[in-house]
Amino acid sequence: MKKRVLLTVAAMTLLVAVGLTGCGGTSVSNPNDTSVSDYQSVSSMALSEINEDNLNGLLTYLKGNGVIKEETREMKAEMIGATAGQMVQAIYGSNSVLIEIYEFDLSALSEQATQVLKQAKDESKFVSLDGELVAAVSDNGRFLMLYKDIFTDDTNRPVQERILKLFKEFSPTITDSSDTGSTETGSAASSEKVSSDT
């Protein structure tokens, strides 16, 4: 009888844990596999070094500049009208903050996607099951970043501003003619590539 009760409690605990992370919640966690200095030592990747103008290229750019960790988790991008989405850990000193980054096909925006991007641009916020999140749109309008603005003190502000600057400026010039296809093609390739990495 005791074993059955313990198994039930363990199963319920697992379901709650999966439920909290499955909805794409944004929270803080301590990095426990690689030191912050390891990531910050790689901090000078230029846009000219990026050969993919899509979500995968953006993640490569942020990793190459030492502001996010390698681990990613695919998000259900279609829920907000995006074509691809990943959750990553942004590095904040001794902590790492979970952020979500989505790619949109500007040539085929659904009504939902249009509303999400408009709210993000106009109000710098996004309302989710986890409450109100800070939202930022890249300068080219194709990418959306969501996170909880929990680090507001002056110590973490420069880190936050650097991540935001790198995210907003991402718009590489691709010279290879095979990469000049539609955003939709790039998004599909991105989703496939990033999925294979995780």
Side-chain angles (χ1 to χ4, degrees), residues 19-94:
L20 288 174
T21 57
C23 64
T26 306
S27 60
V28 178
S29 63
N30 289 324
N32 54 17
D33 52 357
T34 307
S35 71
V36 174
S37 60
D38 288 342
Y39 288 102
Q40 291 175 339
S41 63
V42 182
S43 59
S44 60
M45 178 174 276
L47 276 172
S48 59
E49 297 177 65
I50 304 298
N51 58 14
E52 293 180 274
D53 187 8
N54 52 31
L55 179 59
N56 191 56
L58 173 55
L59 293 176
T60 299
Y61 184 58
L62 295 177
K63 289 172 191 172
N65 280 287
V67 296
I68 67 171
K69 298 174 75 174
E70 292 291 330
E71 297 81 3
T72 62
R73 191 178 82 194
E74 190 164 355
M75 302 301 291
K76 294 183 178 178
E78 66 277 3
M79 292 181 72
I80 62 169
T83 57
Q86 292 287 326
M87 178 181 281
V88 296
Q89 291 185 332
I91 299 165
Y92 278 80
S94 60

Side-chain angles (χ1 to χ4, degrees), residues 1-185:
M1 183 69 175
K2 279 185 177 180
K3 284 184 179 178
R4 187 173 291 170
V5 171
L6 287 173
L7 285 173
T8 304
V9 170
M12 290 178 70
T13 304
L14 181 62
L15 283 173
V16 170
V18 170
L20 288 174
T21 57
C23 64
T26 306
S27 60
V28 178
S29 63
N30 289 324
N32 54 17
D33 52 357
T34 307
S35 71
V36 174
S37 60
D38 288 342
Y39 288 102
Q40 291 175 339
S41 63
V42 182
S43 59
S44 60
M45 178 174 276
L47 276 172
S48 59
E49 297 177 65
I50 304 298
N51 58 14
E52 293 180 274
D53 187 8
N54 52 31
L55 179 59
N56 191 56
L58 173 55
L59 293 176
T60 299
Y61 184 58
L62 295 177
K63 289 172 191 172
N65 280 287
V67 296
I68 67 171
K69 298 174 75 174
E70 292 291 330
E71 297 81 3
T72 62
R73 191 178 82 194
E74 190 164 355
M75 302 301 291
K76 294 183 178 178
E78 66 277 3
M79 292 181 72
I80 62 169
T83 57
Q86 292 287 326
M87 178 181 281
V88 296
Q89 291 185 332
I91 299 165
Y92 278 80
S94 60
N95 292 318
S96 57
V97 179
L98 295 179
I99 62 173
E100 299 172 31
I101 302 178
Y102 295 90
E103 180 180 4
F104 292 83
D105 180 357
L106 299 183
S107 66
L109 287 177
S110 66
E111 184 177 335
Q112 181 186 26
T114 302
Q115 290 176 351
V116 166
L117 289 172
K118 184 178 187 317
Q119 183 182 38
K121 286 178 186 175
D122 295 348
E123 304 173 35
S124 298
K125 70 178 183 180
F126 175 81
V127 180
S128 75
L129 296 175
D130 297 318
E132 191 173 284
L133 304 176
V134 175
V137 179
S138 61
D139 290 343
N140 62 16
R142 287 180 48 213
F143 301 98
L144 171 72
M145 182 167 65
L146 305 175
Y147 59 97
K148 281 190 179 175
D149 193 5
I150 57 172
F151 292 116
T152 56
D153 65 334
D154 290 339
T155 303
N156 291 293
R157 194 177 306 281
V159 182
Q160 190 177 55
E161 288 174 354
R162 182 160 186 257
I163 292 171
L164 189 59
K165 177 185 179 297
L166 291 166
F167 166 77
K168 289 181 77 67
E169 74 184 12
F170 181 77
S171 187
T173 304
I174 307 299
T175 54
D176 186 351
S177 59
S178 65
D179 289 331
T180 58
S182 68
T183 304
E184 186 175 344
T185 305

